[in-house]
PDB file of all heavy atoms in Angstrom:
ATOM      1  N   LEU A 199      45.209 209.621 105.130  1.00  0.00           N
ATOM      2  CA  LEU A 199      45.493 210.714 106.062  1.00  0.00           C
ATOM      3  C   LEU A 199      45.466 212.058 105.321  1.00  0.00           C
ATOM      4  O   LEU A 199      44.923 213.051 105.820  1.00  0.00           O
ATOM      5  CB  LEU A 199      46.873 210.482 106.699  1.00  0.00           C
ATOM      6  CG  LEU A 199      47.114 211.029 108.103  1.00  0.00           C
ATOM      7  CD1 LEU A 199      46.102 210.478 109.090  1.00  0.00           C
ATOM      8  CD2 LEU A 199      48.532 210.695 108.556  1.00  0.00           C
ATOM      9  N   ARG A 200      46.035 212.053 104.121  1.00  0.00           N
ATOM     10  CA  ARG A 200      46.032 213.273 103.309  1.00  0.00           C
ATOM     11  C   ARG A 200      44.594 213.682 102.951  1.00  0.00           C
ATOM     12  O   ARG A 200      44.221 214.857 103.064  1.00  0.00           O
ATOM     13  CB  ARG A 200      46.845 213.073 102.031  1.00  0.00           C
ATOM     14  CG  ARG A 200      46.932 214.331 101.176  1.00  0.00           C
ATOM     15  CD  ARG A 200      47.663 214.085  99.866  1.00  0.00           C
ATOM     16  NE  ARG A 200      47.920 215.354  99.192  1.00  0.00           N
ATOM     17  CZ  ARG A 200      47.035 216.009  98.445  1.00  0.00           C
ATOM     18  NH1 ARG A 200      45.812 215.502  98.263  1.00  0.00           N
ATOM     19  NH2 ARG A 200      47.356 217.161  97.882  1.00  0.00           N
ATOM     20  N   THR A 201      43.799 212.711 102.535  1.00  0.00           N
ATOM     21  CA  THR A 201      42.411 212.985 102.152  1.00  0.00           C
ATOM     22  C   THR A 201      41.639 213.607 103.309  1.00  0.00           C
ATOM     23  O   THR A 201      40.896 214.592 103.142  1.00  0.00           O
ATOM     24  CB  THR A 201      41.722 211.694 101.686  1.00  0.00           C
ATOM     25  OG1 THR A 201      42.426 211.176 100.548  1.00  0.00           O
ATOM     26  CG2 THR A 201      40.274 211.943 101.320  1.00  0.00           C
ATOM     27  N   LYS A 202      41.817 213.047 104.501  1.00  0.00           N
ATOM     28  CA  LYS A 202      41.099 213.533 105.687  1.00  0.00           C
ATOM     29  C   LYS A 202      41.467 214.985 105.991  1.00  0.00           C
ATOM     30  O   LYS A 202      40.582 215.833 106.217  1.00  0.00           O
ATOM     31  CB  LYS A 202      41.453 212.643 106.896  1.00  0.00           C
ATOM     32  CG  LYS A 202      40.782 213.038 108.207  1.00  0.00           C
ATOM     33  CD  LYS A 202      41.230 212.114 109.329  1.00  0.00           C
ATOM     34  CE  LYS A 202      40.553 212.457 110.647  1.00  0.00           C
ATOM     35  NZ  LYS A 202      39.125 212.077 110.659  1.00  0.00           N
ATOM     36  N   HIS A 203      42.755 215.280 105.976  1.00  0.00           N
ATOM     37  CA  HIS A 203      43.189 216.622 106.359  1.00  0.00           C
ATOM     38  C   HIS A 203      42.950 217.643 105.248  1.00  0.00           C
ATOM     39  O   HIS A 203      42.599 218.801 105.527  1.00  0.00           O
ATOM     40  CB  HIS A 203      44.661 216.587 106.783  1.00  0.00           C
ATOM     41  CG  HIS A 203      44.886 215.918 108.107  1.00  0.00           C
ATOM     42  ND1 HIS A 203      45.016 214.552 108.235  1.00  0.00           N
ATOM     43  CD2 HIS A 203      44.946 216.423 109.370  1.00  0.00           C
ATOM     44  CE1 HIS A 203      45.169 214.246 109.517  1.00  0.00           C
ATOM     45  NE2 HIS A 203      45.135 215.364 110.223  1.00  0.00           N
ATOM     46  N   MET A 204      43.118 217.235 103.999  1.00  0.00           N
ATOM     47  CA  MET A 204      42.868 218.173 102.901  1.00  0.00           C
ATOM     48  C   MET A 204      41.380 218.516 102.783  1.00  0.00           C
ATOM     49  O   MET A 204      41.018 219.644 102.446  1.00  0.00           O
ATOM     50  CB  MET A 204      43.387 217.590 101.584  1.00  0.00           C
ATOM     51  CG  MET A 204      44.911 217.509 101.495  1.00  0.00           C
ATOM     52  SD  MET A 204      45.732 219.119 101.673  1.00  0.00           S
ATOM     53  CE  MET A 204      45.158 219.945 100.190  1.00  0.00           C
ATOM     54  N   LYS A 205      40.530 217.561 103.088  1.00  0.00           N
ATOM     55  CA  LYS A 205      39.085 217.828 103.080  1.00  0.00           C
ATOM     56  C   LYS A 205      38.744 218.920 104.101  1.00  0.00           C
ATOM     57  O   LYS A 205      37.973 219.861 103.817  1.00  0.00           O
ATOM     58  CB  LYS A 205      38.318 216.541 103.388  1.00  0.00           C
ATOM     59  CG  LYS A 205      36.810 216.726 103.436  1.00  0.00           C
ATOM     60  CD  LYS A 205      36.109 215.405 103.784  1.00  0.00           C
ATOM     61  CE  LYS A 205      34.596 215.609 103.885  1.00  0.00           C
ATOM     62  NZ  LYS A 205      33.905 214.336 104.259  1.00  0.00           N
ATOM     63  N   ALA A 206      39.307 218.793 105.302  1.00  0.00           N
ATOM     64  CA  ALA A 206      39.070 219.802 106.338  1.00  0.00           C
ATOM     65  C   ALA A 206      39.662 221.147 105.924  1.00  0.00           C
ATOM     66  O   ALA A 206      39.038 222.202 106.113  1.00  0.00           O
ATOM     67  CB  ALA A 206      39.660 219.336 107.665  1.00  0.00           C
ATOM     68  N   LEU A 207      40.872 221.121 105.351  1.00  0.00           N
ATOM     69  CA  LEU A 207      41.528 222.360 104.940  1.00  0.00           C
ATOM     70  C   LEU A 207      40.712 223.090 103.878  1.00  0.00           C
ATOM     71  O   LEU A 207      40.532 224.314 103.948  1.00  0.00           O
ATOM     72  CB  LEU A 207      42.932 222.045 104.414  1.00  0.00           C
ATOM     73  CG  LEU A 207      43.739 223.237 103.887  1.00  0.00           C
ATOM     74  CD1 LEU A 207      43.998 224.248 105.000  1.00  0.00           C
ATOM     75  CD2 LEU A 207      45.061 222.760 103.279  1.00  0.00           C
ATOM     76  N   ARG A 208      40.214 222.364 102.889  1.00  0.00           N
ATOM     77  CA  ARG A 208      39.421 223.003 101.826  1.00  0.00           C
ATOM     78  C   ARG A 208      38.164 223.660 102.390  1.00  0.00           C
ATOM     79  O   ARG A 208      37.725 224.708 101.902  1.00  0.00           O
ATOM     80  CB  ARG A 208      39.026 221.961 100.778  1.00  0.00           C
ATOM     81  CG  ARG A 208      40.190 221.472  99.925  1.00  0.00           C
ATOM     82  CD  ARG A 208      39.700 220.610  98.768  1.00  0.00           C
ATOM     83  NE  ARG A 208      40.826 219.983  98.092  1.00  0.00           N
ATOM     84  CZ  ARG A 208      41.249 218.746  98.340  1.00  0.00           C
ATOM     85  NH1 ARG A 208      40.598 217.993  99.235  1.00  0.00           N
ATOM     86  NH2 ARG A 208      42.284 218.253  97.685  1.00  0.00           N
ATOM     87  N   ALA A 209      37.595 223.049 103.407  1.00  0.00           N
ATOM     88  CA  ALA A 209      36.350 223.582 103.972  1.00  0.00           C
ATOM     89  C   ALA A 209      36.580 224.837 104.815  1.00  0.00           C
ATOM     90  O   ALA A 209      35.769 225.767 104.783  1.00  0.00           O
ATOM     91  CB  ALA A 209      35.669 222.507 104.812  1.00  0.00           C
ATOM     92  N   VAL A 210      37.686 224.860 105.579  1.00  0.00           N
ATOM     93  CA  VAL A 210      37.867 225.965 106.538  1.00  0.00           C
ATOM     94  C   VAL A 210      38.814 227.045 106.045  1.00  0.00           C
ATOM     95  O   VAL A 210      38.813 228.164 106.577  1.00  0.00           O
ATOM     96  CB  VAL A 210      38.374 225.431 107.907  1.00  0.00           C
ATOM     97  CG1 VAL A 210      37.354 224.489 108.529  1.00  0.00           C
ATOM     98  CG2 VAL A 210      39.740 224.758 107.785  1.00  0.00           C
ATOM     99  N   ALA A 211      39.628 226.749 105.034  1.00  0.00           N
ATOM    100  CA  ALA A 211      40.578 227.747 104.531  1.00  0.00           C
ATOM    101  C   ALA A 211      40.766 227.574 103.027  1.00  0.00           C
ATOM    102  O   ALA A 211      41.860 227.249 102.555  1.00  0.00           O
ATOM    103  CB  ALA A 211      41.914 227.628 105.265  1.00  0.00           C
ATOM    104  N   PRO A 212      39.711 227.777 102.231  1.00  0.00           N
ATOM    105  CA  PRO A 212      39.788 227.489 100.794  1.00  0.00           C
ATOM    106  C   PRO A 212      40.845 228.301 100.051  1.00  0.00           C
ATOM    107  O   PRO A 212      41.423 227.823  99.080  1.00  0.00           O
ATOM    108  CB  PRO A 212      38.371 227.815 100.292  1.00  0.00           C
ATOM    109  CG  PRO A 212      37.751 228.656 101.364  1.00  0.00           C
ATOM    110  CD  PRO A 212      38.362 228.221 102.637  1.00  0.00           C
ATOM    111  N   SER A 213      41.134 229.511 100.511  1.00  0.00           N
ATOM    112  CA  SER A 213      42.116 230.336  99.801  1.00  0.00           C
ATOM    113  C   SER A 213      43.553 229.951 100.126  1.00  0.00           C
ATOM    114  O   SER A 213      44.491 230.479  99.524  1.00  0.00           O
ATOM    115  CB  SER A 213      41.899 231.818 100.124  1.00  0.00           C
ATOM    116  OG  SER A 213      42.287 232.107 101.455  1.00  0.00           O
ATOM    117  N   ARG A 214      43.729 229.041 101.080  1.00  0.00           N
ATOM    118  CA  ARG A 214      45.073 228.652 101.515  1.00  0.00           C
ATOM    119  C   ARG A 214      45.386 227.178 101.230  1.00  0.00           C
ATOM    120  O   ARG A 214      46.334 226.622 101.769  1.00  0.00           O
ATOM    121  CB  ARG A 214      45.240 228.951 103.009  1.00  0.00           C
ATOM    122  CG  ARG A 214      45.349 230.446 103.272  1.00  0.00           C
ATOM    123  CD  ARG A 214      45.161 230.800 104.731  1.00  0.00           C
ATOM    124  NE  ARG A 214      45.524 232.188 104.951  1.00  0.00           N
ATOM    125  CZ  ARG A 214      44.779 233.240 104.629  1.00  0.00           C
ATOM    126  NH1 ARG A 214      43.590 233.055 104.061  1.00  0.00           N
ATOM    127  NH2 ARG A 214      45.200 234.471 104.847  1.00  0.00           N
ATOM    128  N   VAL A 215      44.571 226.569 100.368  1.00  0.00           N
ATOM    129  CA  VAL A 215      44.738 225.145 100.086  1.00  0.00           C
ATOM    130  C   VAL A 215      46.095 224.864  99.453  1.00  0.00           C
ATOM    131  O   VAL A 215      46.810 223.930  99.862  1.00  0.00           O
ATOM    132  CB  VAL A 215      43.589 224.633  99.179  1.00  0.00           C
ATOM    133  CG1 VAL A 215      43.911 223.238  98.659  1.00  0.00           C
ATOM    134  CG2 VAL A 215      42.275 224.612  99.951  1.00  0.00           C
ATOM    135  N   ASP A 216      46.490 225.657  98.478  1.00  0.00           N
ATOM    136  CA  ASP A 216      47.760 225.395  97.802  1.00  0.00           C
ATOM    137  C   ASP A 216      48.949 225.586  98.741  1.00  0.00           C
ATOM    138  O   ASP A 216      49.839 224.728  98.824  1.00  0.00           O
ATOM    139  CB  ASP A 216      47.918 226.310  96.582  1.00  0.00           C
ATOM    140  CG  ASP A 216      46.944 225.961  95.458  1.00  0.00           C
ATOM    141  OD1 ASP A 216      46.404 224.830  95.487  1.00  0.00           O
ATOM    142  OD2 ASP A 216      46.716 226.810  94.586  1.00  0.00           O
ATOM    143  N   GLU A 217      48.945 226.697  99.469  1.00  0.00           N
ATOM    144  CA  GLU A 217      50.062 227.030 100.351  1.00  0.00           C
ATOM    145  C   GLU A 217      50.208 226.014 101.489  1.00  0.00           C
ATOM    146  O   GLU A 217      51.278 225.437 101.703  1.00  0.00           O
ATOM    147  CB  GLU A 217      49.862 228.438 100.922  1.00  0.00           C
ATOM    148  CG  GLU A 217      50.888 228.859 101.960  1.00  0.00           C
ATOM    149  CD  GLU A 217      50.475 230.121 102.706  1.00  0.00           C
ATOM    150  OE1 GLU A 217      49.454 230.740 102.331  1.00  0.00           O
ATOM    151  OE2 GLU A 217      51.178 230.472 103.663  1.00  0.00           O
ATOM    152  N   VAL A 218      49.125 225.800 102.227  1.00  0.00           N
ATOM    153  CA  VAL A 218      49.189 224.900 103.388  1.00  0.00           C
ATOM    154  C   VAL A 218      49.208 223.443 102.928  1.00  0.00           C
ATOM    155  O   VAL A 218      49.867 222.597 103.540  1.00  0.00           O
ATOM    156  CB  VAL A 218      48.005 225.177 104.342  1.00  0.00           C
ATOM    157  CG1 VAL A 218      48.038 224.222 105.544  1.00  0.00           C
ATOM    158  CG2 VAL A 218      48.049 226.625 104.820  1.00  0.00           C
ATOM    159  N   GLY A 219      48.505 223.153 101.835  1.00  0.00           N
ATOM    160  CA  GLY A 219      48.518 221.795 101.304  1.00  0.00           C
ATOM    161  C   GLY A 219      49.908 221.330 100.940  1.00  0.00           C
ATOM    162  O   GLY A 219      50.259 220.153 101.103  1.00  0.00           O
ATOM    163  N   ALA A 220      50.755 222.258 100.450  1.00  0.00           N
ATOM    164  CA  ALA A 220      52.142 221.902 100.119  1.00  0.00           C
ATOM    165  C   ALA A 220      52.923 221.494 101.367  1.00  0.00           C
ATOM    166  O   ALA A 220      53.741 220.558 101.329  1.00  0.00           O
ATOM    167  CB  ALA A 220      52.831 223.085  99.424  1.00  0.00           C
ATOM    168  N   VAL A 221      52.661 222.174 102.486  1.00  0.00           N
ATOM    169  CA  VAL A 221      53.335 221.824 103.746  1.00  0.00           C
ATOM    170  C   VAL A 221      52.841 220.468 104.244  1.00  0.00           C
ATOM    171  O   VAL A 221      53.625 219.639 104.712  1.00  0.00           O
ATOM    172  CB  VAL A 221      53.107 222.914 104.810  1.00  0.00           C
ATOM    173  CG1 VAL A 221      53.843 222.558 106.105  1.00  0.00           C
ATOM    174  CG2 VAL A 221      53.562 224.275 104.303  1.00  0.00           C
ATOM    175  N   ILE A 222      51.535 220.238 104.136  1.00  0.00           N
ATOM    176  CA  ILE A 222      50.981 218.939 104.525  1.00  0.00           C
ATOM    177  C   ILE A 222      51.612 217.826 103.694  1.00  0.00           C
ATOM    178  O   ILE A 222      52.018 216.776 104.225  1.00  0.00           O
ATOM    179  CB  ILE A 222      49.444 218.945 104.369  1.00  0.00           C
ATOM    180  CG1 ILE A 222      48.810 219.841 105.444  1.00  0.00           C
ATOM    181  CG2 ILE A 222      48.879 217.518 104.445  1.00  0.00           C
ATOM    182  CD1 ILE A 222      47.316 220.014 105.302  1.00  0.00           C
ATOM    183  N   ASP A 223      51.728 218.040 102.378  1.00  0.00           N
ATOM    184  CA  ASP A 223      52.316 217.018 101.513  1.00  0.00           C
ATOM    185  C   ASP A 223      53.773 216.744 101.868  1.00  0.00           C
ATOM    186  O   ASP A 223      54.220 215.594 101.850  1.00  0.00           O
ATOM    187  CB  ASP A 223      52.220 217.458 100.045  1.00  0.00           C
ATOM    188  CG  ASP A 223      50.814 217.275  99.490  1.00  0.00           C
ATOM    189  OD1 ASP A 223      50.046 216.477 100.071  1.00  0.00           O
ATOM    190  OD2 ASP A 223      50.485 217.922  98.474  1.00  0.00           O
ATOM    191  N   GLU A 224      54.510 217.797 102.203  1.00  0.00           N
ATOM    192  CA  GLU A 224      55.913 217.614 102.590  1.00  0.00           C
ATOM    193  C   GLU A 224      56.011 216.773 103.862  1.00  0.00           C
ATOM    194  O   GLU A 224      56.849 215.868 103.969  1.00  0.00           O
ATOM    195  CB  GLU A 224      56.573 218.970 102.803  1.00  0.00           C
ATOM    196  CG  GLU A 224      58.046 218.866 103.206  1.00  0.00           C
ATOM    197  CD  GLU A 224      58.658 220.218 103.554  1.00  0.00           C
ATOM    198  OE1 GLU A 224      57.930 221.228 103.502  1.00  0.00           O
ATOM    199  OE2 GLU A 224      59.846 220.247 103.898  1.00  0.00           O
ATOM    200  N   ARG A 225      55.147 217.061 104.830  1.00  0.00           N
ATOM    201  CA  ARG A 225      55.189 216.313 106.092  1.00  0.00           C
ATOM    202  C   ARG A 225      54.762 214.856 105.882  1.00  0.00           C
ATOM    203  O   ARG A 225      55.330 213.939 106.472  1.00  0.00           O
ATOM    204  CB  ARG A 225      54.323 217.011 107.140  1.00  0.00           C
ATOM    205  CG  ARG A 225      54.896 218.358 107.520  1.00  0.00           C
ATOM    206  CD  ARG A 225      54.223 219.029 108.699  1.00  0.00           C
ATOM    207  NE  ARG A 225      54.922 220.274 108.996  1.00  0.00           N
ATOM    208  CZ  ARG A 225      54.607 221.108 109.981  1.00  0.00           C
ATOM    209  NH1 ARG A 225      53.581 220.833 110.785  1.00  0.00           N
ATOM    210  NH2 ARG A 225      55.309 222.219 110.173  1.00  0.00           N
ATOM    211  N   LEU A 226      53.771 214.644 105.042  1.00  0.00           N
ATOM    212  CA  LEU A 226      53.332 213.273 104.776  1.00  0.00           C
ATOM    213  C   LEU A 226      54.390 212.494 103.995  1.00  0.00           C
ATOM    214  O   LEU A 226      54.523 211.275 104.170  1.00  0.00           O
ATOM    215  CB  LEU A 226      52.004 213.294 104.022  1.00  0.00           C
ATOM    216  CG  LEU A 226      50.789 213.739 104.845  1.00  0.00           C
ATOM    217  CD1 LEU A 226      49.554 213.831 103.961  1.00  0.00           C
ATOM    218  CD2 LEU A 226      50.544 212.809 106.021  1.00  0.00           C
ATOM    219  N   TRP A 227      55.135 213.171 103.145  1.00  0.00           N
ATOM    220  CA  TRP A 227      56.247 212.533 102.433  1.00  0.00           C
ATOM    221  C   TRP A 227      57.279 212.007 103.430  1.00  0.00           C
ATOM    222  O   TRP A 227      57.777 210.886 103.304  1.00  0.00           O
ATOM    223  CB  TRP A 227      56.874 213.543 101.470  1.00  0.00           C
ATOM    224  CG  TRP A 227      58.035 213.006 100.677  1.00  0.00           C
ATOM    225  CD1 TRP A 227      57.997 212.271  99.538  1.00  0.00           C
ATOM    226  CD2 TRP A 227      59.425 213.191 100.989  1.00  0.00           C
ATOM    227  NE1 TRP A 227      59.278 211.964  99.105  1.00  0.00           N
ATOM    228  CE2 TRP A 227      60.167 212.519  99.985  1.00  0.00           C
ATOM    229  CE3 TRP A 227      60.112 213.850 102.018  1.00  0.00           C
ATOM    230  CZ2 TRP A 227      61.568 212.493  99.980  1.00  0.00           C
ATOM    231  CZ3 TRP A 227      61.498 213.820 102.013  1.00  0.00           C
ATOM    232  CH2 TRP A 227      62.214 213.149 101.004  1.00  0.00           C
ATOM    233  N   LYS A 228      57.597 212.821 104.438  1.00  0.00           N
ATOM    234  CA  LYS A 228      58.545 212.396 105.472  1.00  0.00           C
ATOM    235  C   LYS A 228      57.974 211.236 106.285  1.00  0.00           C
ATOM    236  O   LYS A 228      58.703 210.298 106.646  1.00  0.00           O
ATOM    237  CB  LYS A 228      58.885 213.570 106.388  1.00  0.00           C
ATOM    238  CG  LYS A 228      59.703 214.658 105.707  1.00  0.00           C
ATOM    239  CD  LYS A 228      59.994 215.803 106.669  1.00  0.00           C
ATOM    240  CE  LYS A 228      60.826 216.888 105.991  1.00  0.00           C
ATOM    241  NZ  LYS A 228      61.095 218.029 106.898  1.00  0.00           N
ATOM    242  N   LEU A 229      56.675 211.298 106.586  1.00  0.00           N
ATOM    243  CA  LEU A 229      56.036 210.213 107.327  1.00  0.00           C
ATOM    244  C   LEU A 229      56.098 208.912 106.534  1.00  0.00           C
ATOM    245  O   LEU A 229      56.412 207.839 107.087  1.00  0.00           O
ATOM    246  CB  LEU A 229      54.583 210.575 107.637  1.00  0.00           C
ATOM    247  CG  LEU A 229      53.733 209.493 108.317  1.00  0.00           C
ATOM    248  CD1 LEU A 229      54.312 209.123 109.677  1.00  0.00           C
ATOM    249  CD2 LEU A 229      52.282 209.955 108.453  1.00  0.00           C
ATOM    250  N   ASP A 230      55.810 208.983 105.244  1.00  0.00           N
ATOM    251  CA  ASP A 230      55.885 207.804 104.375  1.00  0.00           C
ATOM    252  C   ASP A 230      57.281 207.194 104.416  1.00  0.00           C
ATOM    253  O   ASP A 230      57.446 205.965 104.530  1.00  0.00           O
ATOM    254  CB  ASP A 230      55.522 208.214 102.951  1.00  0.00           C
ATOM    255  CG  ASP A 230      55.412 207.025 102.010  1.00  0.00           C
ATOM    256  OD1 ASP A 230      56.428 206.318 101.817  1.00  0.00           O
ATOM    257  OD2 ASP A 230      54.319 206.801 101.458  1.00  0.00           O
ATOM    258  N   HIS A 231      58.308 208.035 104.364  1.00  0.00           N
ATOM    259  CA  HIS A 231      59.682 207.532 104.340  1.00  0.00           C
ATOM    260  C   HIS A 231      60.081 206.875 105.655  1.00  0.00           C
ATOM    261  O   HIS A 231      60.735 205.831 105.650  1.00  0.00           O
ATOM    262  CB  HIS A 231      60.649 208.672 103.997  1.00  0.00           C
ATOM    263  CG  HIS A 231      60.793 208.900 102.531  1.00  0.00           C
ATOM    264  ND1 HIS A 231      59.735 209.279 101.729  1.00  0.00           N
ATOM    265  CD2 HIS A 231      61.858 208.762 101.692  1.00  0.00           C
ATOM    266  CE1 HIS A 231      60.148 209.392 100.476  1.00  0.00           C
ATOM    267  NE2 HIS A 231      61.428 209.082 100.422  1.00  0.00           N
ATOM    268  N   ILE A 232      59.686 207.443 106.789  1.00  0.00           N
ATOM    269  CA  ILE A 232      60.068 206.825 108.059  1.00  0.00           C
ATOM    270  C   ILE A 232      59.319 205.511 108.261  1.00  0.00           C
ATOM    271  O   ILE A 232      59.888 204.525 108.747  1.00  0.00           O
ATOM    272  CB  ILE A 232      59.841 207.790 109.253  1.00  0.00           C
ATOM    273  CG1 ILE A 232      60.377 207.182 110.555  1.00  0.00           C
ATOM    274  CG2 ILE A 232      58.382 208.156 109.434  1.00  0.00           C
ATOM    275  CD1 ILE A 232      61.844 207.009 110.622  1.00  0.00           C
TER     276      ILE A 232
END
């Protein structure tokens, strides 16, 4: 799921990968735990 969304993010918002990617990782961490 991370790979799919990060691939799209890198393509459409390359300058925001670190910022938005951190939020994606936080949400996926919560998903993994539940």
Side-chain angles (χ1 to χ4, degrees):
L199 209 57
R200 183 184 190 278
T201 300
K202 180 181 181 72
H203 288 84
M204 291 301 294
K205 179 181 178 181
L207 178 63
R208 289 189 189 96
V210 298
S213 71
R214 288 165 169 77
V215 169
D216 291 342
E217 174 193 353
V218 179
V221 182
I222 289 175
D223 283 339
E224 180 186 1
R225 294 189 177 181
L226 289 175
W227 180 82
K228 291 179 179 179
L229 175 62
D230 187 298
H231 275 62
I232 186 66

